[in-house]
Amino acid sequence: MESSLTPRDIQTRIRRGESVEEVAEAAGITVERVQGFAVPVIAEREWMAQSARATSVRRKHVGGPAVALAELADTALAERGIAPENAQWDAWRREDGRWTVQVDLQDGAASFLYDPKSRYVIADDDAARGLVGDLATQDQHDMALADLVTDAPEAFGGAIAEEPDHAPLVRSIKEARDRRALEQAVFEEPVEEVVEDLEDQALEERIAVPDTPKPRKKHSRRSVPSWDEIMFGGSSD
């Protein structure tokens, strides 16, 4: 029976958390054939789970010295009636390179995030936070709520100051100078008057207004001599 998955594909799927039975069904081959490729990967998953248990847990709501996951989890499991040596731990690789580490509980499972390069473990769900005691106190809840009101007052009926609009981009030095002059003039004159003055100034610069021509002098009209002047000579005055 030919497999629809390559050996690399089989190991990748098992490393990411699939069981041998699930991969065998997907590949269309027997469990025995998958088992041959899965053995080293299953060993890798078990080793990652044990490495995570030996790594200290980062807890957001708890101070003090770092404590290993095994110490915190085993104590909590014993308090719940689960023998630590019988607890089922598993791990599988995530797509981002870190690992999910999970322990079975009586009513579900608790998941942790393990970073083997940086050597830290953090709780990844509420069950895990409860298992390692990384739960916020009432005072921490109140402080978080106060920060939320401060950061987002609109969610609780608070007022939000309107942010000023961003100024448009300046395309030239002249445009920047003109805008600066306009902004300074706004504090002294109404905007409408400033705009009108700028428009009038620009209009005068584009259209040259000719000077008013001086009135032309009227030429004196020669008077026609009267009949007496022609007959008797001299002026009629």
Side-chain angles (χ1 to χ4, degrees):
M1 186 185 303
E2 291 296 329
S3 171
S4 61
L5 299 175
T6 65
R8 181 184 295 274
D9 294 334
I10 292 173
Q11 291 185 336
T12 298
R13 296 181 69 148
I14 292 177
R15 184 175 288 110
R16 291 186 177 176
E18 294 188 36
S19 65
V20 173
E21 292 76 16
E22 290 173 339
V23 176
E25 182 178 357
I29 56 178
T30 63
V31 173
E32 288 73 17
R33 289 189 61 185
V34 173
Q35 192 73 34
F37 302 113
V39 169
V41 181
I42 293 175
E44 180 187 12
R45 289 170 53 174
E46 293 175 352
W47 183 82
M48 281 294 179
Q50 295 304 317
S51 297
R53 281 174 48 82
T55 303
S56 60
V57 182
R58 293 183 180 179
R59 294 184 291 178
K60 178 180 180 181
H61 304 289
V62 179
V67 184
L69 173 60
E71 181 178 348
L72 294 171
D74 290 353
T75 302
L77 290 172
E79 293 175 353
R80 300 185 183 194
I82 302 175
E85 61 274 12
N86 296 330
Q88 299 294 321
W89 288 85
D90 196 3
W92 56 86
R93 191 176 187 275
R94 297 156 48 108
E95 292 185 1
D96 59 5
R98 296 179 293 181
W99 288 71
T100 294
V101 179
Q102 188 177 87
V103 58
D104 290 337
L105 305 176
Q106 293 175 340
D107 54 352
S111 297
F112 298 88
L113 178 64
Y114 173 48
D115 191 327
K117 292 183 179 180
S118 301
R119 298 292 298 174
Y120 70 83
V121 173
I122 57 175
D124 201 30
D125 56 24
D126 290 340
R129 282 184 282 272
L131 195 65
V132 297
D134 191 14
L135 300 174
T137 63
Q138 186 60 45
D139 291 340
Q140 290 169 331
H141 276 299
D142 294 341
M143 292 178 62
L145 181 61
D147 293 340
L148 179 62
V149 174
T150 303
D151 296 339
E154 73 280 7
F156 297 88
I160 304 176
E162 295 183 0
E163 297 183 356
D165 297 334
H166 294 287
L169 296 176
V170 178
R171 291 181 295 272
S172 65
I173 297 178
K174 180 178 181 301
E175 184 178 348
R177 291 174 178 172
D178 293 343
R179 182 181 300 168
R180 180 61 180 167
L182 180 59
E183 292 175 352
Q184 293 176 348
V186 168
F187 294 96
E188 300 177 359
E189 304 179 52
V191 177
E192 292 79 3
E193 296 181 5
V194 174
V195 175
E196 290 177 0
D197 293 342
L198 293 176
E199 291 178 350
D200 293 342
Q201 181 179 355
L203 183 61
E204 291 177 1
E205 292 176 354
R206 292 197 301 268
I207 303 176
V209 181
D211 296 335
T212 304
K214 297 180 180 180
R216 299 176 62 183
K217 296 183 179 180
K218 296 182 180 180
H219 297 286
S220 58
R221 186 178 179 182
R222 296 181 59 185
S223 59
V224 180
S226 63
W227 178 258
D228 294 336
E229 290 175 342
I230 296 174
M231 294 298 297
F232 303 103
S235 176
S236 58
D237 295 338

